[in-house]
Amino acid sequence: MNKLIVGNWKMNGSLAGNESLVRTMLDGLAAAPAPAPHADLALCAPAVYLAQLQGLLKASPIAWGAQDVSAHEQGAYTGEVAAGMLKDFACRYAIVGHSERRQYHGETDDTVATKAQRALAAGVTPIVCVGETLTQRETGQTESVVKRQLAAVIHTVGHCITEIVVAYEPVWAIGTGKTATPEMAQEVHAVLRAQLAAASTHAKRVHILYGGSMNGANAASLLAQPDIDGGLIGGASLKAVDFLQIAAAAR
Ligand code: PGA
């Protein structure tokens, strides 16, 4: 299975800036001896830029996606973007349950699970984020927190569980420059893999990404872990060189 390297631009970008970033990435890929041989790539942009990404990336090896999706199918939900709309713009992915959404927008495990289900129903692959806070890690709750977060999604999407992507993002490692060591990350990934395996015999097919200050320097050792199948990249996805370095580290 190829590694999956997904950029999460968060609330960054502009029409001009995105175009130059994406063109530099595509030029870098074209110039590489064997373009991204072991990695599938994707970029998740703010919703308003999805049409732009579709135009820039449609004939390229990079897929695109959204950073959130509505828990509702359609209707009177001002400001929301439905999964079907993402599909209209050929999004392959939608991040759901990012810790910034859980933290600043009060998203619960149930909301995240419903969003994952909406995405799947529309043919968009949800990238379901789980992860513990620093306090939770320090009080020995890491395993129970990530298991609870994933259980809600497994329970809701049922047999479709092999169609999701999981991202383990320790909250204390996001945007802080503090990365989980490869061993720390692997330990949690193994827990998540076992949980998926209890729900499906095809759990090995599910990509479990690591996210949290992944960069060109630490990507190779993280991606070498047996249960780390890729990365969800925030800050480093805003720089073409860094993003491509991570992609090149995938083996
Ligand atoms: P970071 O963000 O790479 O900037 O730590 C990762 C994420 O939040 O998805």
Side-chain angles (χ1 to χ4, degrees):
M1 168 165 99
N2 267 5
K3 303 280 189 204
L4 174 61
I5 307 294
V6 180
N8 172 15
W9 285 353
K10 308 196 178 184
M11 200 172 74
N12 293 290
S14 64
L15 281 174
N18 300 346
E19 175 155 0
S20 120
L21 176 58
V22 167
R23 289 204 191 282
T24 311
M25 285 181 184
L26 293 177
D27 288 348
L29 280 179
H38 302 285
D40 294 327
L41 305 179
L43 294 172
C44 292
V48 285
Y49 295 126
L50 290 173
Q52 183 193 22
L53 277 197
Q54 184 181 24
L56 288 168
L57 295 174
K58 63 176 178 253
S60 87
I62 307 182
W64 59 96
Q67 299 171 7
D68 185 29
V69 64
S70 177
H72 306 282
E73 193 177 354
Q74 61 166 47
Y77 301 101
T78 303
E80 296 270 281
V81 176
M85 298 171 184
L86 300 182
K87 189 68 185 172
D88 251 357
F89 288 89
C91 285
R92 175 137 0 131
Y93 300 101
I95 298 172
V96 300
H98 190 280
S99 61
E100 287 150 17
R101 305 249 7 130
R102 293 180 190 259
Q103 197 180 338
Y104 307 137
H105 301 273
E107 291 193 8
T108 63
D109 292 341
D110 285 348
T111 317
V112 173
T114 309
K115 288 184 170 197
Q117 191 167 39
R118 288 283 176 216
L120 284 170
V124 174
T125 301
I127 299 175
V128 177
C129 300
V130 301
E132 82 288 2
T133 63
L134 186 58
T135 314
Q136 288 166 333
R137 174 160 282 267
E138 287 175 348
T139 52
Q141 297 176 70
T142 300
E143 192 171 320
S144 63
V145 168
V146 299
K147 279 172 115 172
R148 190 202 70 222
Q149 291 171 332
L150 183 58
V153 177
I154 292 177
H155 177 75
T156 302
V157 308
H159 70 276
C160 292
I161 196 65
T162 53
E163 292 164 39
I164 74 167
V165 170
V166 176
Y168 168 55
E169 299 206 307
V171 179
W172 49 271
I174 295 177
T176 58
K178 287 185 204 152
T179 323
T181 63
E183 294 72 27
M184 275 159 92
Q186 166 58 27
E187 205 177 306
V188 179
H189 281 236
V191 166
L192 296 170
R193 181 85 65 202
Q195 194 179 359
L196 290 166
S200 163
T201 48
H202 302 295
K204 278 208 170 71
R205 274 203 243 141
V206 177
H207 280 91
I208 308 180
L209 315 182
Y210 169 79
S213 300
M214 203 194 246
N215 57 41
N218 61 27
S221 54
L222 285 159
L223 294 172
Q225 297 298 315
D227 289 301
I228 301 187
D229 309 311
L232 183 54
I233 321 297
S237 71
L238 297 171
K239 293 185 200 124
V241 174
D242 294 16
F243 189 68
L244 293 181
Q245 247 174 21
I246 296 171
R251 288 278 172 273

